[in-house]
Amino acid sequence: MRDLTDPMNPALADHRVLQFRIVTGNYWIYTLANSALRVLLVLYFHQLGYTPLEIALLFLLYEFVGIFTNLVGGWLGARLGLSQIMHIGLFLQAVALSALLVPVTYLTVPWVMAALALSGIAKDLNKTSGKTSIRMLVSESEQGKLYRRAAILTGSKNSLKGAGYFLGAVLLTLIGFRGAVAVLLLVLGLVLISSLILLQPDLGRSSGKPKFQQVFSISRSINLLSAARFFLIAARDVWFVVALPVYLATAVGWDHWRIGGFLAFWVIGYGIFQSLAPALIRKRDGTPPDGWQATLWAAALSVVPLILFIALEQGISATPVLLVGLLLFGIPFALNSALHVYLIVHYAGRRDGASMDIGFYYMANAAGRLFGTVLSGWLFQSSGLGVCLLVSACLIGITAMISLALPREN
């Protein structure tokens, strides 16, 4: 049998596709479990009487460590291989879930924050591994194929995130918090064992030994896109992460099932539209989009939360405003996000160390989540959902302005 490292071996392409599918499958299952855990914590600690700001602070370290994990994760991925950082991530998530199985009297804010810090490290290691694997399988001349694969992976991940929201709410209702956490731990343990057996150990490892200072991108395009991503993600999380589920529970009076189902429906639909982005957004000549399309879609998105803010201020019933508004927000946001994911894997030109460029970009993504999550709890507690929506519109406007400087390719 010929060596799979031999570039002339016709089985090499099939082997890479198989490895990509295993990485993607791991990433999907991890996403489902992690999203279930997030909504579990929000609903359970609201049930225990925690304020929105206190709930947001539970996720403070979770988001904060992501800033550094993405930098280090990209570097580790280049040095150790994508499969190794994925295994580390799965193991850390299992440790985090085990820490949440303690009796409720030990579930203090510092304890939960520490457990979620491990979960945040795990999430970003898995994300870096999953997204970088796309870049390994597509040549520079196949940008249309790269666009489609990036959109499908991102869209399917977010659809599973939505399913995870619903799963978390259902598990909390049926078997309680500890039972739900135990189920998630069992599933992830099985995924880790199968991955250790099936994944190639050196998948995605750089041929050289990149230095740590190389994780800071020197590419103007990647730096601009990372800044745009920061404000785009913060604009979503400033009203979606804490403010919206708590508002639905307190002001609208929904139970866990309805909140989880509603959020799941929105995120699943959002993921579907991300997958459809290659069919919906392309240049007139049929080629993949560039920075100009990112600018236009960000500008269009900024109008939506502003309209929702005005509707709530005019006293229109919150339930129809949020139902229709989330639909109007979700579609352009999904297309914006899919555009960003394609552009980062397109800009990550150092194929031998692409994980470092992608890790730098997701560092900005994590910083945006941190900023948006803290703002969500603070603004909702002090000023209400309407102000969260107004701030969201401003942040998306900043995204559009930054996107004006992104490259426009002929």
Side-chain angles (χ1 to χ4, degrees), residues 298-354:
L301 177 64
S302 66
V303 178
V304 179
L306 184 60
I307 293 174
L308 298 182
F309 166 74
I310 294 172
L312 290 177
E313 288 297 303
Q314 293 298 316
I316 301 175
S317 177
T319 301
V321 167
L322 292 175
L323 287 173
V324 176
L326 270 173
L327 177 64
L328 295 176
F329 184 87
I331 295 173
F333 183 85
L335 298 176
N336 270 277
S337 183
L339 270 173
H340 281 193
V341 172
Y342 161 67
L343 289 174
I344 184 56
V345 293
H346 172 51
Y347 293 159
R350 297 177 305 184
R351 297 199 64 189
D352 195 35

Side-chain angles (χ1 to χ4, degrees), residues 126-146:
N126 277 275
K127 178 183 287 186
T128 299
S129 180
K131 296 294 174 68
T132 307
S133 64
I134 304 173
R135 198 68 182 88
M136 295 168 50
L137 294 171
V138 181
S139 68
E140 295 290 346
S141 61
E142 297 178 298
Q143 291 304 311
K145 186 176 182 181
L146 179 64

